[in-house]
Amino acid sequence: MKKKLSVVFLAVISCFVFCFSAASCTDKHTHLLTHYNAVEATCTEDGNTEYWYCTECFKYFSDKSCKNEINLSDTVISKTGHSFTNYISDNNATCTENGTKTATCDNDGCSVTNTITNENSALGHIFTNYISDNNATCTNDGTKTAQCERDGCCATDTITEENTASGHDYNTENIQWVWDGYTSATATLICNNDNSHRYSITATVSSEITQAATCQDTGIKTYTASVSYSGKIFTDTKTEVLEKTSHSLVTEYREDEDWIWGYNVTHCETCSYEYETAVPEIEFKTFQRIGYGTTVTPMGVTNNIIYRVQFTGGYGELTYNFKVYASRDYTNVPVYYEYTTTQTESFTFYCPYSTSTMAEALEKYVIVITVTDSKGHSISAPLAANFTVY
């Protein structure tokens, strides 16, 4: 309640003061003026127009005679703010960063400056003096590098150094040869610039006997592998040992009193190798009855017995002469049947017999076999037809 009474009291007092002041100014009031000179506004401070203020009635006037009453706000001249138009580069741009530019306020008496980014003023690098990095390979161009020429800049630029690939430099003084047996070979060339770079060529292989083998000494066959590179022929050789040849044997027959049947001298036609062998004595081996038959002969139709006979020894081809006698006393009777051959597979003994008289015939007849070699040596063997040595 006290708060409400205080508010009403203040309102009554304020109204009384206002009415008293109004009556004083309009009736017989003499202004007690304070003069305020005009002040120009600055960039950062408000100014004001010339005005007068009455300290009695608390009013503002634009003229000294107090005829034109104004509000205090009418006297305010707003601050102008800075005006920056003439920017000048600070010359501080780098190769990669924009520099700045600075302007001084255009308003008189204001020395305030403003610095802003000088757009698109980065200078960019200057690369002109490129030096080779000496890193070209056989197949790839190398690079070259330049350092920026602007003071204080350490940036570098590396670019391809065109047409600097060296190409391969294959070493033909130390070719690596690999043989597969005697008929196939490969040559590998190694690059002097990089030993991992290799070039392989399949060789053409030819051969010749460079030392003929004999029956006393081995021979040599030389294989030559050839490759062509850069207009030149390169070769490698490999040798094969040839086995000794067999003797070129020739056998000659000779007779000597110490050699009854003679002897053979076998010697090599190309070396001094020689050996002697005695001609073996002719020996009877087998005499075998192998069958029976009937044969027409000049003496008529006869029964026959077929034998197989075999001798060994002698020199050269053996000739077999068979004489058949119809009596055990063959020295005093004529030859009943004679047969000469060089074949020993079989001999047919012709004798007249019947089935009933075959045993008698076998007991009666004698076969005299004479074997002669090509040098005239011979041996005779009288045999009974029933194989009894007579």
Side-chain angles (χ1 to χ4, degrees), residues 291-297 299-306 336 348-358 361 365:
Y292 304 93
T294 301
T295 305
V296 177
T297 71
M299 296 176 292
V301 178
T302 64
N303 297 316
N304 57 75
I305 303 172
I306 302 172
Y336 172 75
T348 302
F349 163 45
Y350 297 98
C351 65
Y353 71 89
S354 62
T355 303
S356 61
T357 61
M358 182 178 68
Y365 285 85

Side-chain angles (χ1 to χ4, degrees), residues 198-272:
R198 303 190 172 206
Y199 179 55
S200 295
I201 309 171
T202 299
T204 300
V205 179
S206 60
S207 64
E208 64 175 332
I209 295 177
T210 51
Q211 179 179 314
T214 67
C215 52
Q216 290 181 309
D217 298 305
T218 58
I220 297 175
K221 188 174 185 179
T222 301
Y223 297 84
T224 302
S226 303
V227 297
S228 175
Y229 176 74
S230 191
K232 295 181 179 180
I233 301 297
F234 301 92
T235 61
D236 188 50
T237 59
K238 184 177 183 179
T239 58
E240 178 185 13
V241 175
L242 301 178
E243 297 293 331
K244 293 179 181 180
T245 62
S246 299
H247 291 294
S248 178
L249 298 177
V250 175
T251 300
E252 297 178 359
Y253 175 79
R254 297 179 186 177
E255 291 187 346
D256 188 277
E257 61 182 10
D258 295 329
W259 301 76
I260 298 174
W261 293 84
Y263 64 97
N264 291 320
V265 176
T266 302
H267 66 88
C268 178
E269 291 183 314
T270 58
C271 72
S272 59

Side-chain angles (χ1 to χ4, degrees), residues 2 29 35 39 63 67 80 82 87 132 151 159 161 191-192 203 239 252 265 270 310 359 365 371 389:
K2 287 182 179 181
H29 175 68
H35 178 243
V39 176
D63 59 327
K67 292 180 178 180
T80 61
H82 297 299
Y87 282 92
S132 175
D151 291 340
I159 60 175
E161 190 174 15
C191 182
N192 289 322
T239 58
E252 297 178 359
V265 176
T270 58
Q310 184 178 16
Y365 285 85
V371 182
V389 177

Side-chain angles (χ1 to χ4, degrees), residues 28-213:
K28 295 179 180 180
H29 175 68
T30 298
H31 295 294
L32 182 59
L33 297 174
T34 301
H35 178 243
Y36 292 90
N37 291 323
V39 176
E40 291 186 3
T42 67
C43 299
T44 57
E45 300 290 337
D46 291 338
N48 60 272
T49 60
E50 186 180 23
Y51 69 93
W52 286 262
Y53 173 66
C54 177
T55 59
E56 292 292 335
C57 63
F58 310 111
K59 291 183 179 182
Y60 297 89
F61 302 94
S62 63
D63 59 327
K64 186 177 181 180
S65 60
C66 299
K67 292 180 178 180
N68 185 26
E69 183 180 353
I70 60 175
N71 293 319
L72 178 62
S73 61
D74 295 332
T75 67
V76 176
I77 301 174
S78 298
K79 57 186 176 183
T80 61
H82 297 299
S83 174
F84 301 109
T85 58
N86 186 26
Y87 282 92
I88 299 174
S89 174
D90 297 321
N91 295 318
N92 59 354
T94 67
C95 296
T96 58
E97 300 291 335
N98 289 327
T100 59
K101 55 184 178 180
T102 301
T104 302
C105 183
D106 297 332
N107 296 327
D108 291 340
C110 182
S111 59
V112 174
T113 61
N114 183 45
T115 299
I116 61 174
T117 299
N118 190 7
E119 298 294 340
N120 302 316
S121 62
L123 302 176
H125 297 299
I126 297 176
F127 300 111
T128 56
N129 185 26
Y130 283 89
I131 299 174
S132 175
D133 296 320
N134 296 317
N135 57 355
T137 66
C138 298
T139 56
N140 296 319
D141 288 336
T143 58
K144 55 184 179 180
T145 301
Q147 183 170 332
C148 181
E149 296 180 9
R150 297 188 188 279
D151 291 340
C153 183
C154 297
T156 58
D157 182 48
T158 299
I159 60 175
T160 298
E161 190 174 15
E162 300 293 341
N163 303 316
T164 55
S166 63
H168 296 295
D169 178 21
Y170 288 114
N171 183 356
T172 57
E173 299 297 324
N174 188 26
I175 298 175
Q176 291 187 350
W177 293 90
V178 176
W179 286 82
D180 182 7
Y182 291 102
T183 59
S184 177
T186 301
T188 299
L189 287 75
I190 302 174
C191 182
N192 289 322
N193 301 327
D194 186 339
N195 62 13
S196 68
H197 296 169
R198 303 190 172 206
Y199 179 55
S200 295
I201 309 171
T202 299
T204 300
V205 179
S206 60
S207 64
E208 64 175 332
I209 295 177
T210 51
Q211 179 179 314

Side-chain angles (χ1 to χ4, degrees), residues 1-10:
M1 183 66 180
K2 287 182 179 181
K3 186 175 182 181
K4 288 184 179 181
L5 289 176
S6 296
V7 173
V8 172
F9 176 76
L10 289 174

